[in-house]
């Protein structure tokens, strides 16, 4: 009876797109995006690209597919179970004669590609942060700090104001801002943003009706916004 049921299942979807494909694909993509923090935590801890599981997918992609397949299976009876010792690896073995196998492989490749994109974007952002911090601390002996807005000129820092020939001007007369203090503020804000977002932040000067303008840091992607000075 079990073999008959499997045969009917194969015959029903042979040469067609499985009805669960788009639902499963979308859920997997959404879960992977929502697992970005988990992915980056593992990446930071391992210090290398994602480990590959028995199915050829990374461990996280494999977990994502198994978790979403379990949810889908609970909603649509008749789908093979992934909750076995070999999980997704066994699933691919079970479906060797199914057209669904090609669908699973297609979804798996899409998830692995997105996973790599997340990591590559994180690496680019990390490199940007390192370059920015390096440019900030460059010339430390001369107490010079590169302007975070134009990234070209050294800031003029004294007991009354901070300025740059690009137009940046902030009154610091009552705030006791030294080069070391400003360097710390810039580094801490960049690091704070990088913890939650992979994109490059921007610095700008915003007017303040109660006092002198503020140096701000923001990100158009994650809506991060904070006062640096």
């Amino acid at each position: 009876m079990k073999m008959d049921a499997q045969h009917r299942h194969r015959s029903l979807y042979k040469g067609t797109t499985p009805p669960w494909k788009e639902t499963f694909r979308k859920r997997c993509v959404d879960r992977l995006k929502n697992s970005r923090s988990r992915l980056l935590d593992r990446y930071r801890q391992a210090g290398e690209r994602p480990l590959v599981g028995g199915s050829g997918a990374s461990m996280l992609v494999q977990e994502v597919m198994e978790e979403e397949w379990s949810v889908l299976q609970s909603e649509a009876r008749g789908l093979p179970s992934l909750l076995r010792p070999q999980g997704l690896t066994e699933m691919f073995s079970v479906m060797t004669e199914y057209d669904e196998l090609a669908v699973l492989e297609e979804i798996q490749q899409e998830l692995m590609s997105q996973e790599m994109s997340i990591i590559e974007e994180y690496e680019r952002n990390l490199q940007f942060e390192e370059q920015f911090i390096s440019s900030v601390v460059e010339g430390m002996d001369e107490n010079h700090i590169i302007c975070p807005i134009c990234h070209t000129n050294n800031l003029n820092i004294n007991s009354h104001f901070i300025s740059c020939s690009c137009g940046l001007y902030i009154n610091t007369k009552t705030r006791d801002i030294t080069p070391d203090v400003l360097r710390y503020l810039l580094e801490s804000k960049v690091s704070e943003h990088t913890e939650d977002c992979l994109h490059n932040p921007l610095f700008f000067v915003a007017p303040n009706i109660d006092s002198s303008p503020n140096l701000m840091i923001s990100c158009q992607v994650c809506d991060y916004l904070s006062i640096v000075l």
Side-chain angles (χ1 to χ4, degrees):
M1 293 293 292
K2 183 177 180 180
M3 293 300 295
D4 290 342
Q6 290 182 349
H7 179 73
R8 287 196 300 272
H9 182 79
R10 296 174 187 176
S11 299
L12 181 61
Y13 299 126
K14 190 70 174 177
T16 65
T17 300
W20 46 261
K21 175 184 177 181
E22 283 307 311
T23 299
F24 181 57
R25 187 197 68 80
K26 185 178 185 304
R27 290 180 178 180
C28 284
V29 170
D30 291 342
R31 183 179 288 268
L32 182 63
K33 290 180 180 178
N34 293 332
S35 300
R36 182 175 64 84
S37 296
R38 185 170 26 147
L39 168 62
L40 295 180
D41 285 342
R42 292 184 182 184
Y43 173 71
R44 294 186 191 104
Q45 293 172 5
E48 57 188 13
R49 295 299 176 94
L51 297 176
V52 175
S55 67
S58 75
M59 299 302 291
L60 182 60
V61 167
Q62 185 168 318
E63 290 173 11
V64 165
M65 294 184 72
E66 290 175 359
E67 290 165 3
E68 283 303 328
W69 187 268
S70 296
V71 174
L72 191 65
Q73 187 194 35
S74 68
E75 299 172 354
R77 295 181 179 180
L79 295 177
S81 175
L82 293 183
L83 299 180
R84 295 170 177 168
Q86 298 302 317
L88 190 63
T89 304
E90 184 174 346
M91 180 64 185
F92 276 93
S93 177
V94 169
M95 285 193 167
T96 51
E97 298 183 33
Y98 287 29
D99 284 346
E100 286 99 320
L101 176 60
V103 172
L104 284 177
E105 290 177 338
E106 177 186 334
I107 294 174
Q108 182 188 78
Q109 289 301 317
E110 180 180 354
L111 294 175
M112 291 174 65
S113 176
Q114 291 198 16
E115 182 183 50
M116 284 298 101
S117 295
I118 291 174
I119 291 176
E120 288 169 359
E121 190 171 19
Y122 170 76
E123 289 175 337
R124 288 195 299 271
N125 198 61
L126 188 62
Q127 184 180 23
F128 165 81
E129 180 185 355
E130 291 172 348
Q131 290 174 344
F132 176 77
I133 292 177
S134 177
S135 69
V136 167
V137 301
E138 186 179 27
M140 184 181 296
D141 293 339
E142 298 80 20
N143 285 328
H144 289 161
I145 297 178
I146 300 296
C147 175
I149 294 180
C150 70
H151 301 284
T152 302
N153 307 310
N154 290 326
L155 291 175
N156 178 18
I157 305 172
N158 57 46
S159 59
H160 292 80
F161 61 84
I162 295 174
S163 67
C164 176
S165 57
C166 72
L168 179 150
Y169 181 90
I170 297 176
N171 187 330
T172 60
K173 187 175 181 179
T174 61
R175 290 186 267 186
D176 192 26
I177 300 298
T178 66
D180 286 340
V181 170
L182 179 58
R183 184 178 297 109
Y184 168 77
L185 292 173
L186 291 169
E187 290 179 3
S188 62
K189 291 300 181 180
V190 171
S191 297
E192 180 180 84
H193 169 261
T194 305
E195 289 179 0
D196 299 313
C197 181
L198 305 177
H199 296 270
N200 297 336
L202 298 174
F203 291 89
F204 65 96
V205 174
N208 188 328
I209 59 175
D210 297 324
S211 61
S212 65
N214 292 116
L215 177 62
M216 309 287 293
I217 179 174
S218 68
C219 178
Q220 296 180 344
V221 177
C222 69
D223 293 329
Y224 175 83
L225 180 65
S226 183
I227 297 176
V228 178
L229 178 65

